[in-house]
Amino acid sequence: MTDTIQTPADTAADEATDAVQVEEFAYLDPADIIIGTNVRTDLRPDHKEFRKSIKERGVLEAVTVYRNEDGQHVLLRGQRRTVTAAEVGTPTGLIPARVVPQPADADRIGDQMVENIHRAGMREAEIVAGVEQLALLGVSAAQIAKRTSIDRPTVNAALAVTKADQTRDRLDSGDLTLEEAAMFAEFEHDPEAVQRLENTKKWRRSLAHEVQRLRDEAAEREADAAEVERLRAEGLPVLSADEVAEADEVLRIERLVTEDGEPLPEEEWPNVPGACVQVVKEWVYPEDEYDEESEDGTDGEDDDYEPAEPYQQYAPVWVVTDLDASGLRRRGGGSGSTTTDSGDEGESEEDAEARREERRRVIANNKAWASAETVRREWLATLVARRTAPKGAEALICEAVVTGHHSLSKAMDHRHPMLFTLLGIDVPTGYYGADECRKIATKASTPKAATMTTLAAVVAAWEATTGKHSWRNPNAWDARVLGALVEWGYQPSEVERILLGEEPQPSTEDDGGNNSAEASDSAA
């Protein structure tokens, strides 16, 4: 099918030409166009956004064709647009075409080379500007993605950058990529956070992991502040985090004594001059029924056993910040500070400091692991959504299946809950789990799909067994799987590198959070 509009071509400046060239503008069926010889061979057929744009909005820029001796249209320029339109279709079934006289071969080749060599994609700063203009017109992020065929994460990143002037200037200058700029924009209001991101970028560490740590720390501070306000609403004189940090000393009343050397009864604590409350976090260890079996010396360990994860809960502690004004004194000359461990009697100061340092390390690594888990699982979600397995996947699958690794066996017994999570599917329960697993398996009807689905199951099974215990007790399978993920493009955090046998590098900034208050409680 062809719709044709004839228009006079521009007349050459030299009026001595024998004839005026005539061009036509037509709407053609892309399937009817003959694909002529082209210097471009890589059409990038898997570019999803391009295919989606053609299917939903059609070809926006006309292709160029000529008529051969048989009257057929032969393509000169626009091969990728034409081939894609023929494959996925357009809203009208037609594409716009500019019909020109047949050129000489030398002209055709030269024109095709110039078109492709000098073609430049939009700069990221230009994408941001375009997204901003659409947003100002009231177009939603979802509609911007649909109209432009730009993926939603890129649209979200562009919108974030439009609200951060300093970061946008750095994007315009080429100092940051759009992905990096979106991360910096999120914390532009916080100079300390920006400096941490600068250090991370400088040392070529993962910005994604540092950003997640900053988010988690901000959420923790917000939760701490909410608990302070809750207790204040109950009438307690609670210190804020800033007030605790500014105090010269914060001493627990329970560790102090009267002038007579006697502990003060708890009901008298609120009456101590200058007494106030500090909110601290205490570690809670769930009872572990496995201990009773392990103590009898039997060798019947359960492969599915996983140590119960300790958790933290808020606790209000009565303290004083001015010991002289309180009328109390330290017990036995000790400090009584909330940040001081009681320690074993006779323990040297060197040993006590080593123990406190180890506790600080455990707290910091536990927090880092929790943040890394969020980033890793987001990355794994993109991995399991792939259509083709990455290089080396078959070897990992073979090792997991042939050795019957317990992580895979456990996942199979429980109907692969982590696989459903990574695929973004509600985790089925009970009998329905088998049916849902069968649907996932039967959907993988080609060898490539079957390999990718099996890889997803193996990796998800491993991820389900990871936790804060992983960095403390890494094993060979942890190193094997994480090593494969790194080969496939994942950038691990410092704490995850422990699984690979690497010692974490010293941090370039303070850990943040409320470690001083937590140091009095064991975290391991």
Side-chain angles (χ1 to χ4, degrees):
M1 179 177 179
T2 304
D3 291 339
T4 304
I5 303 174
Q6 290 190 347
T7 58
D10 293 334
T11 305
D14 186 359
E15 297 184 354
T17 53
D18 295 331
V20 176
Q21 298 289 332
V22 176
E23 289 183 359
E24 298 177 17
F25 187 86
Y27 286 91
L28 307 176
D29 184 339
D32 292 339
I33 299 176
I34 298 174
I35 306 301
T37 304
N38 198 305
V39 296
R40 181 170 187 166
T41 58
D42 178 15
L43 303 182
R44 290 190 292 168
D46 293 330
H47 198 294
K48 295 180 181 179
E49 287 75 17
F50 181 74
R51 295 170 66 87
K52 181 180 178 183
S53 176
I54 294 290
K55 184 176 182 179
E56 293 184 355
R57 306 195 64 201
V59 173
L60 303 181
E61 182 179 353
V63 301
T64 304
V65 300
Y66 68 88
R67 285 195 182 91
N68 62 15
E69 295 176 354
D70 298 326
Q72 298 171 303
H73 292 103
V74 181
L75 189 71
L76 276 174
R77 290 186 290 277
Q79 181 178 0
R80 186 163 172 249
R81 281 168 282 162
T82 303
V83 171
T84 303
E87 290 179 354
V88 304
T90 68
T92 64
L94 305 175
I95 64 173
R98 180 168 159 258
V99 185
V100 300
Q102 180 175 356
D105 284 344
D107 292 335
R108 172 186 61 79
I109 295 172
D111 289 346
Q112 289 175 348
M113 290 186 68
V114 168
E115 178 189 23
N116 286 285
I117 291 174
H118 299 294
R119 174 185 289 148
M122 290 185 70
R123 294 190 304 113
E124 290 181 320
E126 294 169 332
I127 293 175
V128 170
V131 168
E132 181 180 37
Q133 292 174 39
L134 289 171
L136 291 174
L137 292 174
V139 183
S140 68
Q143 284 298 316
I144 292 174
K146 184 176 181 179
R147 284 171 177 265
T148 62
S149 294
I150 299 175
D151 63 85
R152 184 61 181 272
T154 301
V155 172
N156 291 342
L159 289 172
V161 173
T162 63
K163 302 172 184 177
D165 293 339
Q166 295 179 11
T167 302
R168 187 168 184 174
D169 290 341
R170 294 183 63 182
L171 175 68
D172 291 343
S173 68
D175 184 40
L176 298 174
T177 67
L178 179 55
E179 182 181 10
E180 293 172 340
M183 297 180 189
F184 275 83
E186 183 176 347
F187 297 95
E188 187 169 293
H189 64 284
D190 186 345
E192 291 184 5
V194 170
Q195 187 57 55
R196 283 174 57 173
L197 293 177
E198 292 286 7
N199 292 340
T200 300
K201 188 173 185 295
K202 175 182 177 182
W203 295 105
R204 297 184 179 180
R205 296 174 179 172
S206 170
L207 278 173
H209 283 293
E210 191 63 31
V211 164
Q212 190 58 48
R213 287 193 64 187
L214 287 168
R215 289 171 182 161
D216 291 344
E217 289 168 12
E220 183 179 16
R221 289 192 297 272
E222 184 176 342
D224 293 347
E227 180 64 11
V228 168
E229 292 304 316
R230 186 186 72 82
L231 292 176
R232 283 178 173 175
E234 294 181 359
L236 293 177
V238 185
L239 296 171
S240 68
D242 289 340
E243 289 171 331
V244 172
E246 293 170 0
D248 292 333
E249 57 182 1
V250 180
L251 309 174
R252 293 193 182 208
I253 295 179
E254 64 181 323
R255 297 178 182 173
L256 302 176
V257 295
T258 65
E259 290 298 332
D260 297 330
E262 297 296 328
L264 190 68
E266 185 172 348
E267 60 270 17
E268 295 294 329
W269 293 354
N271 300 325
V272 172
C276 47
V277 171
Q278 179 187 6
V279 177
V280 300
K281 293 175 183 174
E282 294 181 345
W283 286 93
V284 177
Y285 297 86
E287 291 185 4
D288 193 347
E289 298 177 357
Y290 187 78
D291 288 343
E292 186 176 338
E293 297 180 9
S294 62
E295 289 175 359
D296 62 10
T298 59
D299 195 24
E301 293 189 0
D302 182 359
D303 287 341
D304 286 344
Y305 167 71
E306 293 180 11
E309 288 285 350
Y311 62 92
Q312 289 179 301
Q313 65 181 13
Y314 289 111
V317 175
W318 281 94
V319 299
V320 293
T321 57
D322 188 336
L323 186 59
D324 293 336
S326 71
L328 301 174
R329 63 182 178 84
R330 291 178 172 85
R331 186 197 307 265
S335 71
S337 171
T338 62
T339 62
T340 301
D341 296 312
S342 54
D344 297 331
E345 292 186 10
E347 182 181 33
S348 69
E349 181 58 34
E350 183 178 338
D351 291 340
E353 179 56 33
R355 179 165 50 80
R356 289 192 289 268
E357 178 59 31
E358 175 60 17
R359 289 180 179 177
R360 287 191 288 268
R361 185 181 76 90
V362 170
I363 291 171
N365 281 355
N366 280 350
K367 288 183 178 181
W369 183 270
S371 298
E373 184 176 272
T374 300
V375 176
R376 187 176 64 253
R377 291 186 180 181
E378 289 177 355
W379 188 90
L380 287 175
T382 64
L383 174 70
V384 301
R386 289 179 53 160
R387 294 184 179 181
T388 305
K391 183 179 179 181
E394 296 84 356
L396 185 69
I397 294 170
C398 179
E399 186 174 346
V401 174
V402 174
T403 62
H405 196 272
H406 79 274
S407 63
L408 183 57
S409 300
K410 182 178 179 180
M412 293 170 68
D413 289 341
H414 293 81
R415 309 299 190 204
H416 299 281
M418 181 57 70
L419 176 60
F420 282 91
T421 298
L422 295 179
L423 290 173
I425 304 173
D426 291 337
V427 179
T429 58
Y431 172 79
Y432 298 100
D435 286 343
E436 295 303 318
C437 286
R438 190 174 296 109
K439 289 179 182 178
I440 292 177
T442 55
K443 189 176 180 180
S445 56
T446 66
K448 286 184 177 180
T451 300
M452 187 61 234
T453 299
T454 309
L455 173 66
V458 169
V459 172
W462 169 77
E463 176 61 31
T465 62
T466 62
K468 294 175 183 176
H469 61 276
S470 299
W471 72 263
R472 294 194 291 269
N473 301 290
N475 57 50
W477 186 241
D478 290 334
R480 175 72 175 91
V481 178
L482 184 59
L485 299 184
V486 172
E487 289 182 5
W488 300 335
Y490 179 65
Q491 187 175 1
S493 65
E494 293 300 301
V495 71
E496 288 173 303
R497 290 187 179 277
I498 296 176
L499 275 60
L500 302 175
E502 302 177 16
E503 287 296 325
Q505 297 298 314
S507 178
T508 57
E509 76 292 314
D510 293 334
D511 178 65
N514 298 321
N515 289 352
S516 60
E518 294 170 352
S520 60
D521 301 293
S522 174

